[in-house]
Amino acid sequence: MSQSLLLVGAGGLAREVLAAARAVPGEFTVRGLLDDDPARHGSDVDGVPVLGPSDLVHEHTDDQVLVCVASPGRPEGRANVVRRLDLPAERYATLVHPAASVAHGVELGAGTVLLAGAVITAPQRVGAHVLAMPHVLFTHDDLVGDFATCAGRATLAGGVVVAESAYLGAGSLVRQGVRIGSRAVIGMGAVVLADVPDGETWVGVPAKPLIPS
């Protein structure tokens, strides 16, 4: 029997997560989407209705939940939604696309989503509410913290630490042993060769702090 699932957020990421859920036959049935924008209520996303605001998760107590919110402009956005909803961990699903490759012994936290082509090469702990978009690569001994977002083709060499709510842009590369700080943002295509402090945005090859204009 499939598990009924609610997606919080009705934007592009929700469409990707919906497609991933549909790619796992018999495991999930997406009942609906929840979004705090009233203009979306009553509409549908790829055939699934937008039922109302996110607080409806407290009424649909038999449904599991995934929070589909991610933005480099607000790297802590998903964490803020999860903390506001204040659900127990067991209410959150963990979704792995069948085209992802996850080594035996990997532990995935509640609410984590791995999209198609994501690869985790060796046993490690991946935090809660982590988002790995298509073709993300985690190699040996990485430590990916809660609420981290890794956009498509982001790559971690061995022993990388990604702290809570960090955002790694599409195609970014992180050298072995480097730490990406909490709420740090790594630009698209950046090559990170040194530790990135909490809350900073680094861009370029090699990556350097972005100086506000």
Side-chain angles (χ1 to χ4, degrees):
M1 182 175 178
S2 64
Q3 174 64 54
S4 182
L5 183 63
L6 292 171
L7 306 183
V8 177
L13 176 57
R15 295 188 66 199
E16 294 183 273
V17 174
L18 172 59
R22 286 171 165 168
V24 188
E27 186 166 345
F28 296 108
T29 299
V30 180
R31 174 199 293 271
L33 289 81
L34 306 177
D35 197 283
D36 292 328
D37 180 359
R40 294 184 181 269
H41 299 169
S43 66
D44 74 82
V45 175
D46 296 338
V48 176
V50 180
L51 301 174
S54 59
D55 286 344
L56 285 179
V57 295
H58 299 293
E59 297 182 19
H60 296 279
T61 56
D62 292 332
D63 297 329
Q64 288 198 291
V65 178
L66 286 171
V67 177
C68 303
V69 174
S71 168
R74 292 180 292 114
E76 73 283 7
R78 192 159 60 258
N80 290 342
V81 173
V82 169
R83 287 167 181 152
R84 176 172 57 80
L85 295 177
D86 195 28
L87 296 173
E90 57 267 23
R91 283 292 308 277
Y92 287 103
T94 300
L95 175 59
V96 178
H97 192 286
S101 176
V102 180
H104 179 74
V106 170
E107 298 180 29
L108 301 175
T112 285
V113 174
L114 306 183
L115 295 183
V119 175
I120 305 177
T121 63
Q124 58 194 267
R125 164 81 173 140
V126 176
H129 304 283
V130 170
L131 172 61
M133 294 186 190
H135 299 285
V136 161
L137 173 61
F138 299 161
T139 56
H140 65 88
D141 300 305
D142 293 326
L143 180 59
V144 180
D146 297 348
F147 307 108
T149 299
C150 297
R153 298 191 183 277
T155 296
L156 309 182
V160 171
V161 175
V162 179
E164 181 176 304
S165 296
Y167 189 106
L168 279 63
S172 57
L173 306 174
V174 183
R175 188 173 72 177
Q176 184 169 345
V178 164
R179 180 184 187 275
I180 308 297
S182 176
R183 296 168 288 100
V185 175
I186 307 303
M188 296 172 62
V191 177
V192 183
L193 303 178
D195 290 353
V196 177
D198 294 351
E200 290 194 4
T201 297
W202 282 37
V203 298
V205 180
K208 296 181 181 179
L210 180 65
I211 307 301
S213 57

